[in-house]
Amino acid sequence: MLSLNNVSKSFGGVKAVDKCSFEVKENTITSLIGPNGAGKTTIFNIISGLTKADSGTIRLSDRNIADLAPYKIAKAGISRTFQLTKVFRNMSIKDNLLIAKNANDNDIKKILESVYLHKPLETLASELSYGQQRLLELARSLLMPHSLLMLDEPTAGVNPEIRRELKLILRSLKKNGKTVLLIEHDMEFVMGISDVVIVLNEGKVLKEGKPKDIVKDKKVLEAYLGK
Amino acid sequence: MPSILPQLIINGLIAGSIYALAASGFSLVYYVVKFMNFAQGAIITIAAYLFFLFGSVLGINYALSALLSIIISILAILSMNLIVYENLRKRKATNVVTMISSLALLIFSSALVLAIFGSSTKTISLYNKTFDFGIFTVTLIQLIIICSSVFLFLLLWVVLKKTRLGKAMRSLSDNKEAAQVIGINPEKIYTYAFIIAGILGSISGILIGLEQNLYPRMGVPIIIKGFISSVVGGINSVYGSIVGGLFIGLVEILGIWFLPSGYRDVISFSILLLFLLFKPNGILGVKKRDDS
Amino acid sequence: MIHEYLISILTFISIYSIIVLSLNVVIGFTGLINLGHIVFVGIGAYASAILALNGVPWYISIFAAGILASVFGAAIAAITSRLKGDYLAMVTLGLVFIAVAVSRNWISLTRGALGLPGIPDIIKNNFHYMIFTMAISALSVFLFYRLTNSETGKIFQAIRDNEVAASVLGKNTYFYKIISMAASTFFAGIAGSLLAHHLNFVDPTIFELDFIVTMLVMLIAGGLASITGSVVGVFILYALSESIRFIVVNPSIVGAFREMVFAVVLILILIFRPRGMFGKVDI
């Protein structure tokens, strides 16, 4: 449903993404992994339009979205979260969610339950813990109408309990026919949940395959551990 | 028309040097302390009026007057830092809040000067001499202004590149956390940055006071031009302010060849907008590191 | 006599309330640090003055003032849409100098430094004019309350808190920033018109810089993103400003003293109570 073709991006001479091509198939959980600086977040930013690629095409269900403004890409059906959570600090949980979509209190409660965030609706986002803010952001991205959900390191900085809950959330998303693209550092988490794993190194796709094939691959080990 | 071109260029250089002088302290504080300090305009005003007070009203000799003005101006900027900015930093106020408080300090100082000296314009009449080079004329004070802007630029360059203090400032500017980890005390370096800004501001103030009339609000348009110069030159570089100041001065003077002189501010502001839209890193083009 | 004095104060408070409320929409609710708000008040005042002096009835001139200010506001928002924080603040502050230059030099339109005298009253009776400005002020409170609590208002606040997040949630932040500025400057223009018809005179000194500090202190003392705060802020600080007149004996320094007091109050609030009385957000 989403395909990148020869996407490149340089920042002042440094190639952050180098002729990157891959595809995300419908109703799969696809994970992007790779060492720090491999270009994972840059790819996310390019897909969601926050960073413009220097070259290459990005197709979402046969529509080229490479030149669209971020809000149009969002409307085209891509919902995402950020590595450093971006909630609306001075707004209540409810208002944070209403920005994503007009919903009644019942729907809002349901979506909050599905991410295991149990807090009064009028609580300000700034009063939540960091882990809870991540859950709120996740709920918000789930609520926004979308065909593809992109999560940037959802387990970073959250406690083990929330991490377990995240796994459950992702499994139920897949069961409900959703498509997810994930950036994740936690290998156990990635291998336990992904259908496809894409390994990036220095802006290039190093390897693509099923989790069990990736674990065995020598090149991948080298990218992580050095030669 | 070409016969007056050399004179226009000289006039542009003079105006540009004044902007560069005003911008230098402003952009040093922006570079090190990371906020736009309007109160640099207050320092310029205070120094000009003090020089007027000591030299023209009290009749103290001009060298001593200048020295006294510079010292008091440094004390003024240090107290602003101590009373206002340091407290704002303690409560982790944003740079916008600090900027607004500096605007309040500028208005406060202008009003104080107005209350003490009155609203009428003042002039400092000091020995001056006009040099006639045939194709253009320039006064001694104007020559001093042009030379001072070059001199202060060199001074700034030496401080930043050749001294331990300069290294500390650059590392602090680049990454505050990293600088602290290697043993740099930000508050101490900020104090030094304000002292240098005070010196730059007060010398500018005295020179501007010699060239132009003094009035209580004189700091406001000067610091706006200082800001424009910094942005056009490249606000992430301290030297950008000098380049930008001269550039703005020249373009303004050449611009009012075509437009009524009242539109001078419109010209520089249009240039500012063009730069912000199309070349936000300025002439020197130093890029701020991407945070992502 | 005291009666007339009170009427005059309440008229000014009503007009200032509109100005500060409209500023709150852009700064407090949308997070756009507009320091050039007075420019739009001035555009409204000049537009209304010029139209009224050419025989246009007041109900048209007042409306045209709002529209013209709003068009300028929208244009400025469109041009500066990529700027944030202190950059936007400096650029909008620069607008004040453009406004001064134009109002001083476009002599055929503004008569330059001489200003435009003889702007007709809307209502001759001062008491009735006070009621009129209060009504418009109340109307603006109502409309801004509705706006900020609407879906659009929520999007303004989302942009203030995190513009990137708002855009990846499908909100055209460019468009909404323009809407915010247009709505705000419409009322700034109306307030300018009310001011011009009240003072019967407008000249380039309307763009005085200290007025920015006056507006900011009223706004921040009241509290950002609080409608109540803006109205209360204007009341209290206007009262403070008027009381200075009775404390300072030397009339020639009343103005300077007032500016100093406002500047100090602003700094103290920013240090010790940045959310003011009713504020909900920090900038």
Side-chain angles (χ1 to χ4, degrees), chain B residues 145-174:
Chain B
I145 286 175
I146 295 175
C147 295
S148 310
S149 74
V150 176
F151 172 73
L152 290 177
F153 163 74
L154 285 174
L155 188 76
L156 207 51
W157 184 82
V158 169
V159 169
L160 280 174
K161 291 280 173 178
K162 302 287 172 196
T163 66
R164 270 185 73 84
L165 175 63
K167 280 202 187 82
M169 283 178 175
R170 282 189 290 146
S171 60
L172 200 55
S173 172
D174 193 58

Side-chain angles (χ1 to χ4, degrees), chain A residues 81 85-89 91-97 111-112 115 117 123-126 128-143:
Chain A
T81 65
T85 302
K86 295 189 195 298
V87 294
F88 304 118
R89 293 181 51 80
M91 298 170 76
S92 65
I93 290 178
K94 184 177 163 183
D95 280 347
N96 261 274
L97 295 173
I111 204 102
L112 287 172
V115 300
L117 180 59
T123 314
L124 283 182
S126 58
L128 299 175
S129 74
Y130 187 70
Q132 290 168 333
Q133 289 187 11
R134 300 209 71 131
L135 293 176
L136 173 59
E137 195 192 28
L138 178 65
R140 200 177 64 189
S141 62
L142 288 171
L143 188 65

Side-chain angles (χ1 to χ4, degrees), chain C residues 31-83:
Chain C
L32 304 170
I33 312 299
N34 170 19
L35 295 186
H37 201 54
I38 189 64
V39 170
F40 305 102
V41 177
I43 288 174
Y46 265 104
S48 195
I50 291 162
L51 289 175
L53 287 171
N54 284 295
V56 175
W58 65 268
Y59 47 86
I60 293 179
S61 76
I62 208 171
F63 195 67
I67 294 289
L68 190 70
S70 184
V71 168
F72 272 100
I76 294 297
I79 294 171
T80 60
S81 70
R82 273 198 272 164
L83 304 178

Side-chain angles (χ1 to χ4, degrees), chain B residues 8 53 104 109 171 197 206 282:
Chain B
L8 282 178
L53 174 68
S109 310
S171 60
I206 292 168

